[in-house]
Amino acid sequence: MMDWMLREQGSRDWRLLPVALTLWSASLSAHLAFDEWSAAAQPESAKTAMNSAVSTSATASAHVMTAIVIILAVVALIMATRLRTRWMGTVAVCLAVACIGGITAIAADSAAWRDSASVWARNHGTLTQVRATVIAPMVASDRREYACQADVRLNGISMDVSIPAARSEQVNPAMQRSSAQARVYMPAQHCSIIHRGAVYHLSGTLKESEYGRMPLWLSVEDGSAVAQVEEPPWHRAMIEHMQQSFFHATERLSDQGRILVPGLTMGVLGQDYASVAGSPAYEISSDTLTTSRTNAINETYSNTLEERFQRCGIMHLMAVSGGHFVLLADIVRRTCMRLLLKRSISAMLMACSYVLLALLMFPGDSVTRALIMGLLGIAAYGIGRRAQSVSALSWTVIVVLIVNPDMSRSYGFALSSAAVIGIVLFTKPLSDAFRRLLPEPIAQMTAMTMGAQIFTLPIQILMEPELPLLSIPANLLVSPFVGFATLTGLMALSCAWCAPWLAGLFAWIASLGTLVMEQVAMWLGASDWAVLPWPEGVSGAVLMLAAEGGIAALAVFTVRIVRRRGQDGADADLPGRYFGSTRRLRMMLWWQETRRLLIPDADGR
């Protein structure tokens, strides 16, 4: 016990990693169990009484599960106290967080199940009126019958559809409170009047979603009333104006620049932005709202480009990740060091820049992960401590899953976290191995790419049963251009609202970097052997983990054989003989002493 405590390294704090994994597994298992059980318990012709019974049963099951996990946690704590072993403490903590993860997940699912909007969608699925706050920017619709879509948080739902929604100045007496989230689909005539952060009265058909994370869909048809109740906050209006100005600055670029520069900079492809995807683009002025038509992006080219990026395994470049925050933090830190500012002031400025960057980016789960983890690293920098990437990631996962249990089902959050843990754990050993065969910059980039894909490949197979065979060479070819293209894109975003000509120049420079990405994707993605079909589902993900484990074991075995042969050749001219590894030598001596103890004549004496 004392020997293990003395060997503990402060630079490698992995103690919270099993805790975070346990919490994630417990939360995801609780979600899946609740979904399966609620689907089996809810027939197609369920009534309100059945909903109440199911909700009561869900609450009872949550209490039973909570009691079981609490009992197990108490037993583990008692055993850890009496036995005083190292691993029992870890087991006790893991059981405690499993209890927390199961409770929060089932509580969130039960609250969503009993929400008035969810009950209405299950029982009726007809025309209704809602009061909703827009929580995400308007983007192009993924359903052909609608032009755009936006994610909203419902504030209330009306059970009396006879009251027109256009009377926004009056409060509907039949409106019940709701906190459910929904995805709103709208025709082109309403796309230009929806702003993030504003509150609206919407009239449409509310039903359960057919796919995606959003539990509800609200379909607004032509002629339906859409009335704004509250204006967006001033900071949301300012951010929206900056984003629109940035998209207007990219309209003068070629199609690849209009698609890839916003994707690399903000995390949303150009064809997915509502005002660029065919709906009227609009600019906010001081007194009026003007609309103008933009040249539509070639739909065939945009679909082909997106498919080639996915086949090459470089689609992750079109999502905001920790690279954006690292670039910004490095610039702020170097500037503060040049000005000889104190460490605490530098940390405060870096934290402010992180928050501003997160607000400017397109909302996503990877942005949430990068922001929280980056703030933890900045806090460590501010107090003079070394940043602990694994510990910061573990704390990020724990906090996010407890506050928002639905994030355990997010592919974006899982991919982002898996990429970070793979880079942290495997980049250095892989780089040390590749450095003997490749130049150091190429070895570093190869190791980082492989490290990121070790844990992300199983998750990608759950999303798409394909194995991108050319992802490593594709990432190596585009890596030298990602940094400066991202930086110039951020510069264009920051000055588009006040200097459109300068933003256009920076956007054009960024498009030169994305042009290389486009050429690489079109070249490698067109190959017939760019992807390998793979079994789908959980079995495919487990098979991928087994294949990676087998390749790793084969590589370790080969390295040991090569080292042993090299040591045998190096010691050929020296006296004595090679005994092998320490473990092998100990086992051999133990066996000899055992034979000598049990069989005195074993050595011929």
Side-chain angles (χ1 to χ4, degrees), residues 400-419:
V400 169
L401 294 186
I402 292 177
V403 175
N404 186 8
D406 193 55
M407 291 288 281
S408 60
R409 295 186 287 190
S410 170
Y411 281 112
F413 189 72
L415 287 172
S416 180
S417 302

Side-chain angles (χ1 to χ4, degrees), residues 484-567:
F484 93 90
T486 302
L487 186 60
T488 51
L490 292 176
M491 295 172 67
L493 175 62
S494 61
C495 65
W497 63 279
C498 59
W501 64 272
L502 186 59
L505 177 61
F506 285 136
W508 177 78
I509 297 175
S511 67
L512 298 179
T514 58
L515 178 61
V516 178
M517 304 176 194
E518 185 254 1
Q519 294 296 324
V520 171
M522 289 296 186
W523 172 43
L524 297 180
S527 176
D528 295 334
W529 41 277
V531 294
L532 176 68
W534 197 266
E536 62 181 0
V538 179
S539 59
V542 174
L543 180 61
M544 173 55 62
L545 287 175
E548 291 178 345
I551 294 174
L554 180 61
V556 172
F557 179 75
T558 304
V559 169
R560 289 185 176 182
I561 293 297
V562 172
R563 286 180 178 178
R564 181 173 300 177
R565 290 184 177 180
Q567 290 175 354

Side-chain angles (χ1 to χ4, degrees), residues 139 161 205 479 504:
V139 295
V161 298
T205 302
S479 292

Side-chain angles (χ1 to χ4, degrees), residues 154-299:
L154 303 181
N155 303 327
I157 177 173
S158 176
M159 303 302 178
D160 185 6
V161 298
S162 61
I163 301 179
R167 296 170 59 185
S168 58
E169 68 279 359
Q170 297 182 3
V171 179
N172 193 335
M175 183 167 290
Q176 297 183 5
R177 295 185 60 181
S178 174
S179 59
Q181 293 187 1
R183 177 157 293 172
V184 179
Y185 293 94
M186 295 185 176
Q189 61 182 349
H190 297 311
C191 294
S192 60
I193 61 175
I194 300 299
H195 307 287
R196 184 183 180 187
V199 181
Y200 295 89
H201 271 165
L202 305 173
S203 178
T205 302
L206 185 66
K207 64 178 183 178
E208 293 182 319
S209 62
E210 300 176 3
Y211 54 84
R213 286 183 58 196
M214 283 294 170
L216 302 176
W217 284 355
L218 179 64
S219 302
V220 179
E221 307 296 340
D222 290 332
S224 300
V226 176
Q228 180 174 337
V229 180
E230 298 180 8
E231 295 184 355
W234 63 271
H235 67 281
R236 289 297 182 191
M238 182 183 302
I239 292 172
E240 185 179 13
H241 177 61
M242 294 179 64
Q243 292 174 346
Q244 292 171 4
S245 301
F246 171 71
F247 275 98
H248 291 320
T250 61
E251 289 179 0
R252 302 176 183 177
L253 304 176
S254 60
D255 280 355
Q256 70 85 16
R258 296 174 63 186
I259 295 173
L260 299 181
V261 171
L264 187 67
T265 305
M266 292 180 52
V268 54
L269 296 176
Q271 74 268 20
D272 293 335
Y273 188 69
S275 64
V276 181
S279 60
Y282 57 96
E283 297 179 353
I284 298 179
S285 61
S286 58
D287 51 352
T288 60
L289 182 68
T290 61
T291 61
S292 61
R293 275 286 178 184
T294 62
N295 296 324
I297 298 175
N298 190 301
E299 184 177 359

Side-chain angles (χ1 to χ4, degrees), residues 214-553:
M214 283 294 170
L216 302 176
W217 284 355
L218 179 64
S219 302
V220 179
E221 307 296 340
D222 290 332
S224 300
V226 176
Q228 180 174 337
V229 180
E230 298 180 8
E231 295 184 355
W234 63 271
H235 67 281
R236 289 297 182 191
M238 182 183 302
I239 292 172
E240 185 179 13
H241 177 61
M242 294 179 64
Q243 292 174 346
Q244 292 171 4
S245 301
F246 171 71
F247 275 98
H248 291 320
T250 61
E251 289 179 0
R252 302 176 183 177
L253 304 176
S254 60
D255 280 355
Q256 70 85 16
R258 296 174 63 186
I259 295 173
L260 299 181
V261 171
L264 187 67
T265 305
M266 292 180 52
V268 54
L269 296 176
Q271 74 268 20
D272 293 335
Y273 188 69
S275 64
V276 181
S279 60
Y282 57 96
E283 297 179 353
I284 298 179
S285 61
S286 58
D287 51 352
T288 60
L289 182 68
T290 61
T291 61
S292 61
R293 275 286 178 184
T294 62
N295 296 324
I297 298 175
N298 190 301
E299 184 177 359
T300 303
Y301 171 76
S302 63
N303 294 333
T304 302
L305 183 60
E306 187 174 358
E307 180 187 1
R308 297 290 172 83
F309 264 73
Q310 292 177 350
R311 289 171 60 88
C312 289
I314 57 176
M315 194 63 190
H316 63 90
L317 299 177
M318 299 297 107
V320 178
S321 61
H324 293 66
F325 294 88
V326 170
L327 285 174
L328 183 61
D330 187 63
I331 294 175
V332 175
R333 183 179 59 84
R334 290 179 180 272
T335 303
C336 294
M337 292 176 63
R338 179 75 63 178
L339 298 177
L340 301 179
L341 297 179
K342 294 182 179 180
R343 184 188 297 268
S344 58
I345 299 178
S346 301
M348 291 178 59
L349 293 177
M350 291 168 62
C352 293
S353 64
Y354 265 44
V355 174
L356 291 177
L357 180 62
L359 290 175
L360 287 174
M361 297 297 100
F362 192 82
D365 299 335
S366 60
V367 178
T368 303
R369 195 278 312 163
L371 174 62
I372 299 177
M373 186 175 174
L375 292 178
L376 291 176
I378 291 174
Y381 172 78
I383 62 178
R385 297 288 298 274
R386 177 181 295 182
Q388 297 277 356
S389 300
V390 177
S391 180
L393 177 62
S394 302
W395 275 114
T396 301
V397 171
I398 292 172
V399 172
V400 169
L401 294 186
I402 292 177
V403 175
N404 186 8
D406 193 55
M407 291 288 281
S408 60
R409 295 186 287 190
S410 170
Y411 281 112
F413 189 72
L415 287 172
S416 180
S417 302
V420 171
I421 194 65
I423 291 173
V424 172
L425 296 183
F426 297 104
T427 295
K428 188 179 186 305
L430 291 175
S431 179
D432 295 339
F434 294 152
R435 196 177 290 116
R436 302 178 180 179
L437 304 174
L438 301 173
E440 185 172 356
I442 299 180
Q444 183 71 19
M445 288 187 295
T446 305
M448 184 172 295
T449 302
M450 293 185 63
Q453 291 186 351
I454 288 177
F455 295 119
T456 57
L457 279 179
I459 303 175
Q460 292 178 5
I461 289 174
L462 291 175
M463 302 170 61
E464 188 72 25
E466 292 180 347
L467 181 64
L469 300 178
L470 301 180
S471 60
I472 294 179
N475 280 275
L476 290 179
L477 291 174
V478 303
S479 292
F481 307 94
V482 174
F484 93 90
T486 302
L487 186 60
T488 51
L490 292 176
M491 295 172 67
L493 175 62
S494 61
C495 65
W497 63 279
C498 59
W501 64 272
L502 186 59
L505 177 61
F506 285 136
W508 177 78
I509 297 175
S511 67
L512 298 179
T514 58
L515 178 61
V516 178
M517 304 176 194
E518 185 254 1
Q519 294 296 324
V520 171
M522 289 296 186
W523 172 43
L524 297 180
S527 176
D528 295 334
W529 41 277
V531 294
L532 176 68
W534 197 266
E536 62 181 0
V538 179
S539 59
V542 174
L543 180 61
M544 173 55 62
L545 287 175
E548 291 178 345
I551 294 174

